[in-house]
Amino acid sequence: MKRSVDADLGITLQDGRYALPATTTIPLPKGYRPGPKEEYMGPPHLQYFRNKLSDWRESLVEESRQTIESLRDEVRDVGDEAERATRETENSLELRTRDRYRKLIAKIDKALKRIEEGRYGFCEETDEEIGIERLEARPIATLSLDAQERWEHRQKQMGD
């Protein structure tokens, strides 16, 4: 059952969870941090994590842009073979980092989508709260700590 909590802002409550549309912005006090006495993943929490995720995404995109520009501006045929080999190794590392950023940006985008859908902050496996502390440390987390440990244990067993 979906019902509107604040029709002016577009905030909805579905099955006891808030959804915060991308077009909605909740004003937060300067220096706001989610508190344990507040409603878990209420509009202020969701806005806080949206801001955190958006800032992180913007930072990664900017770093990637700078990497591309530096690789593009680099003069390719300067130096001896050893210098060129060093440059190629450095470029390879930069490109791998950029690929990790690309994957991380995709995870951030999925987390932002979960905020819009009212699924952010809840474990995809158990539907339990992931927890503010875990989300502070890893805002893209989709599993509770227990579920993450079980998943890692299964991965380890499959790899052995």
Side-chain angles (χ1 to χ4, degrees):
M1 182 177 150
K2 192 173 188 177
R3 64 182 169 90
S4 179
V5 172
D6 190 327
D8 295 338
L9 295 176
I11 301 169
T12 58
L13 187 65
Q14 182 173 348
D15 299 326
R17 298 197 184 152
Y18 290 95
L20 193 61
T23 56
T24 301
T25 302
I26 306 294
L28 298 175
K30 187 175 174 87
Y32 172 83
R33 300 197 53 100
K37 294 181 181 179
E38 297 174 302
E39 183 177 14
Y40 183 76
M41 289 305 134
H45 284 191
L46 294 174
Q47 184 65 54
Y48 172 82
F49 284 107
R50 178 191 287 156
N51 293 349
K52 186 176 182 107
L53 288 159
S54 296
D55 291 347
W56 189 16
R57 184 185 195 288
E58 195 174 302
S59 166
L60 292 171
V61 168
E62 181 56 33
E63 268 188 68
S64 292
R65 189 177 299 120
Q66 289 173 1
T67 299
I68 293 168
E69 286 174 14
S70 73
L71 289 174
R72 194 176 293 145
D73 294 343
E74 187 177 281
V75 178
R76 295 270 175 208
D77 56 353
V78 174
D80 60 5
E81 285 185 38
E83 190 174 327
R84 277 190 297 235
T86 300
R87 275 206 182 126
E88 285 181 22
T89 300
E90 290 170 353
N91 291 348
S92 176
L93 288 171
E94 286 290 333
L95 291 172
R96 275 191 284 185
T97 299
R98 192 169 150 239
D99 189 51
R100 278 195 302 271
Y101 285 0
R102 181 185 56 78
K103 291 174 183 172
L104 190 51
I105 288 168
K107 288 181 180 184
I108 292 170
D109 288 341
K110 287 179 183 176
L112 290 168
K113 186 74 173 162
R114 287 194 307 275
I115 288 172
E116 289 179 35
E117 296 170 347
R119 297 182 299 120
Y120 185 80
F122 295 91
C123 180
E124 290 184 345
E125 185 178 298
T126 64
D127 211 32
E128 299 169 334
E129 294 179 1
I130 291 174
I132 298 294
E133 299 82 16
R134 178 157 166 74
L135 291 170
E136 280 283 2
R138 186 151 177 84
I140 56 173
T142 59
L143 299 174
S144 66
L145 197 52
D146 288 344
Q148 181 71 37
E149 287 172 354
R150 283 191 301 273
W151 181 84
E152 289 172 2
H153 183 69
R154 284 191 304 268
Q155 292 299 107
K156 186 177 179 184
Q157 285 180 328
M158 291 171 60
D160 289 343

